[in-house]
């Protein structure tokens, strides 16, 4: 590989998890890539990524040689606080919204199940009443009457269960809505956004269409 006259290649392996980092070389040149060709000499570099402390390193560039720089960034205290605050927020969200909405859904499904069962019993009662009026056998009539009586008792019990379940579900839904409003009113979701400490520096980038220098004024 040809680096050019009195130049060498600097490669940076930055250990962090968001995939983005900035490298400020000699407080002048800002890189947003993992390698670059630099003139021979000694350098100081500062490496930053959102959520991490700035790391300072020194390295030398030799003519037509490659210099490897392995950097491990450390989480910043601000980001650690954000993680802690977000964990607390998620616990509140689960307690005041996720859990109530789960109970509301379970209550709705239970109520719907009871309603379908009650409807089935009502349909069976009507069928038996029609059979009762159409029957000419005394023994069959007595059997139908017993079935109607049993179905009626089960129907009434299911009606009571339906109204109780429906009432509980209504309370749960109202509680879920209230919890959601209360959560939003008293708890803002933590948000982490950190500005680059190098935003006022020169930015240098290369693309297939050429290179460019960007000056922050």
């Amino acid at each position: 590989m040809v680096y050019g006259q009195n130049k060498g290649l600097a490669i940076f392996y930055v250990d962090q998890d968001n995939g983005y980092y900035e490298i400020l070389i000699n407080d002048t040149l800002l890189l947003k890539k993992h390698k670059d060709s630099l003139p021979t000499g000694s350098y100081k570099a500062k490496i930053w990524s959102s959520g991490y402390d700035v790391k300072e390193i020194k390295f030398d560039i030799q003519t037509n040689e490659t210099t490897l720089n392995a950097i491990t960034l450390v989480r910043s205290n601000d980001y650690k606080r954000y993680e802690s605050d977000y964990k607390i927020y998620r616990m509140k969200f689960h307690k005041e919204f996720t859990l109530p909405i789960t109970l509301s859904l379970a209550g709705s499904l239970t109520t719907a199940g009871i309603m379908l069962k009650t409807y089935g019993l009502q349909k069976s009662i009507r069928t038996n009443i029609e059979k009762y009026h159409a029957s000419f056998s005394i023994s069959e009539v007595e059997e139908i009457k017993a079935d109607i009586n049993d179905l009626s008792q089960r129907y009434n019990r299911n009606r009571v269960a339906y109204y109780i379940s429906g009432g509980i579900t209504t309370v749960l839904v109202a509680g879920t809505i209230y919890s959601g409003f209360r959560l939003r009113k008293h708890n803002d979701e933590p948000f982490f956004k950190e500005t680059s400490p190098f935003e006022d520096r020169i930015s240098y980038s290369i693309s297939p269409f050429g290179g460019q220098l960007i000056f922050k004024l």
Side-chain angles (χ1 to χ4, degrees):
M1 181 180 291
V2 179
Y3 302 114
Q5 186 177 6
N6 297 325
K7 283 191 174 184
L9 184 66
I11 297 180
F12 302 90
Y13 293 108
V14 184
D15 183 13
Q16 45 82 249
D17 63 4
N18 62 41
Y20 178 82
Y21 53 84
E22 298 178 0
I23 304 170
L24 182 66
I25 299 176
N26 286 354
D27 288 326
T28 303
L29 180 63
L30 182 61
L31 302 179
K32 297 181 181 179
K33 54 183 181 174
H34 77 282
K35 65 180 179 179
D36 194 22
S37 179
L38 299 172
T40 301
S42 297
Y43 292 87
K44 293 180 180 180
K46 297 177 181 178
I47 301 91
W48 169 86
S49 180
S50 181
Y52 293 88
D53 289 327
V54 174
K55 176 81 172 183
E56 296 186 15
I57 64 169
K58 295 180 181 179
F59 64 94
D60 296 318
I61 294 294
Q62 304 294 331
T63 302
N64 293 335
E65 292 186 8
T66 298
T67 299
L68 302 178
N69 298 286
I71 303 104
T72 300
L73 298 182
V74 178
R75 283 294 188 188
S76 66
N77 290 330
D78 287 341
Y79 189 84
K80 290 177 181 178
R81 280 192 292 271
Y82 158 74
E83 285 188 315
S84 177
D85 292 343
Y86 190 78
K87 183 178 181 180
I88 293 172
Y89 173 82
R90 289 301 302 177
M91 290 176 65
K92 289 182 179 179
F93 184 87
H94 175 71
K95 179 181 178 181
E96 298 188 22
F97 189 74
T98 305
L99 184 59
I101 202 171
T102 301
L103 293 174
S104 298
L105 179 61
S108 298
L109 292 174
T110 300
T111 302
I114 294 174
M115 181 182 68
L116 290 174
K117 188 175 181 180
T118 303
Y119 175 77
L121 289 169
Q122 185 184 54
K123 187 176 180 181
S124 296
I125 291 172
R126 289 177 179 174
T127 300
N128 275 275
I129 290 175
E130 291 175 358
K131 290 169 62 178
Y132 173 82
H133 290 296
S135 179
F136 295 98
S137 170
I138 296 177
S139 60
E140 185 179 9
V141 166
E142 292 300 323
E143 183 179 345
I144 293 173
K145 286 172 62 178
D147 287 342
I148 292 175
N149 183 60
D150 178 64
L151 289 170
S152 296
Q153 291 180 6
R154 290 165 58 191
Y155 173 77
N156 288 330
R157 288 196 297 268
N158 272 268
R159 282 188 64 194
V160 173
Y162 169 77
Y163 288 121
I164 292 175
S165 179
I168 293 174
T169 300
T170 301
V171 172
L172 288 172
V173 171
T176 300
I177 296 172
Y178 172 74
S179 295
F181 278 119
R182 185 176 62 181
L183 180 67
R184 290 181 176 274
K185 182 177 180 181
H186 298 289
N187 298 274
D188 294 327
E189 182 175 354
F191 179 73
F192 183 82
K193 183 179 180 180
E194 187 178 18
T195 303
S196 169
F198 311 142
E199 63 175 351
D200 59 343
R201 305 292 182 171
I202 300 172
S203 178
Y204 175 60
S205 62
I206 293 179
S207 70
F209 306 101
Q212 62 176 342
L213 283 172
I214 301 174
F215 295 86
K216 299 286 187 178
L217 302 178

